[in-house]
Amino acid sequence: MEDEQDGEWKTARNSWKRKEKPVEESEIQEGGKKKMHTSADGAEAFELEEATIGKLTSLLAVKRLGKWTVNCSQPVSQMQSWGVIKGIHTSVNVEDVKASADCGSGKLLSVTRLPWYNGGIKEESSAVKLCFAGTQCPSHIYMGFTRYAVFHFNAPPRRCYRCKRLGHLAVNCNSPLRCLVCSGPHTKDECTAEPGQEKCANCHQTHIASSKECPAIRNAAAIQKLQHSGVGFEAAKHKVMKAQTELATKAPFMC
């Protein structure tokens, strides 16, 4: 919750807002096309819609915004892309894959073998994740005389290992510790919950917070998939939530 007395800033994707006093335009180093917004309570926000490479460099160098010290960074999603190739035997070292891969004009940054779970036991799979420089993966790569199709890597939604909530990582989390199993204020190893007493920290249903059946995780994954196709976050969220509402409306009545 915002503290109006302290005038704290709230980050909402690429917008900054402060309740106490609007930011003067002279305090902002422009880096692209800008829109100013004023809400009913007098709060102002600015949004940078586009920027050239030169202006982006200037933006990343900004260290102060008004009287606040800031740290500007470019999202990794704007600098790298990830794909998957399949059918790479587990005996093949990933470093050998990186050394022998012919990506054409693309630049391969790293190679990681993806795991799979066999009866709850984590094992290596024949699928390999490739990280490329730039925002577009190549459609294929060659290793020797073999052509491998590159499929888009659908990353799981971010989930904090501290509070178990979605959308952020533990390194930036100040929320209380929550149990993966029951959402209690303790670690999983300290949990005494019996089967059937699970409680998800996100949807509060009877399953652990990392369950693939969790509707919150499924919705987050669906939103991410739409974002990858070019849909903005708010539009993607609205579309997913609307689909959920329509599905619930069409569901048969259960006694």
Side-chain angles (χ1 to χ4, degrees):
M1 182 176 292
E2 290 181 314
D3 188 336
E4 294 189 9
Q5 293 181 343
D6 293 339
E8 293 183 351
W9 288 82
K10 175 183 177 183
T11 306
R13 299 194 315 281
N14 56 344
S15 297
W16 290 76
K17 295 182 179 179
R18 188 163 74 102
K19 294 263 187 184
E20 182 185 337
K21 171 190 171 185
V23 179
E24 298 295 333
E25 291 198 31
S26 59
E27 296 176 343
I28 302 169
Q29 183 175 351
E30 283 199 46
K33 185 190 231 177
K34 182 177 66 176
K35 284 185 178 179
M36 297 296 294
H37 307 278
T38 304
S39 62
D41 57 7
E44 286 194 4
F46 68 89
E47 176 181 342
L48 295 174
E49 296 183 306
E50 59 185 36
T52 63
I53 295 298
K55 290 180 178 179
L56 177 61
T57 302
S58 298
L59 281 171
L60 294 176
V62 172
K63 297 301 180 184
R64 293 192 66 80
L65 186 62
K67 63 180 181 180
W68 284 269
T69 300
V70 297
N71 182 23
C72 300
S73 61
Q74 186 178 4
V76 174
S77 60
Q78 295 181 7
M79 300 182 289
Q80 299 174 2
S81 54
W82 294 265
V84 175
I85 57 174
K86 302 177 181 179
I88 308 300
H89 196 272
T90 53
S91 62
V92 179
N93 188 285
V94 292
E95 291 303 320
D96 293 336
V97 173
K98 183 179 179 181
S100 61
D102 179 0
C103 308
S105 59
K107 182 180 180 181
L108 183 59
L109 301 177
S110 64
V111 179
T112 309
R113 188 174 291 277
L114 295 175
W116 76 296
Y117 292 86
N118 183 12
I121 300 175
K122 186 178 180 180
E123 298 180 358
E124 290 188 336
S125 73
S126 61
V128 173
K129 182 175 74 169
L130 310 176
C131 178
F132 297 94
T135 57
Q136 292 293 329
C137 292
S139 60
H140 62 274
I141 66 169
Y142 284 95
M143 286 196 292
F145 295 101
T146 305
R147 183 181 188 272
Y148 292 89
V150 178
F151 300 92
H152 171 65
F153 174 67
N154 294 307
R158 285 187 171 186
R159 179 170 55 84
C160 176
Y161 286 105
R162 176 176 172 81
C163 74
K164 306 305 182 290
R165 297 287 178 83
L166 299 173
H168 67 277
L169 301 177
V171 67
N172 299 316
C173 182
N174 295 316
S175 296
L177 176 70
R178 292 187 181 88
C179 176
L180 176 74
V181 178
C182 71
S183 300
H186 52 257
T187 66
K188 176 186 175 183
D189 294 337
E190 298 170 335
C191 186
T192 58
E194 299 291 335
Q197 294 181 334
E198 299 89 351
K199 182 180 179 182
C200 176
N202 291 293
C203 71
H204 309 301
Q205 295 185 14
T206 312
H207 57 250
I208 63 175
S210 60
S211 173
K212 293 182 179 179
E213 303 304 316
C214 177
I217 292 179
R218 288 185 170 185
N219 287 342
I223 290 171
Q224 279 190 181
K225 188 173 182 179
L226 286 171
Q227 284 185 280
H228 176 74
S229 66
V231 180
F233 174 76
E234 289 297 335
K237 180 180 178 181
H238 175 75
K239 187 172 183 178
V240 171
M241 294 299 102
K242 182 179 179 181
Q244 290 288 322
T245 302
E246 291 176 351
L247 183 62
T249 303
K250 295 178 182 178
F253 178 76
M254 301 294 289
C255 296

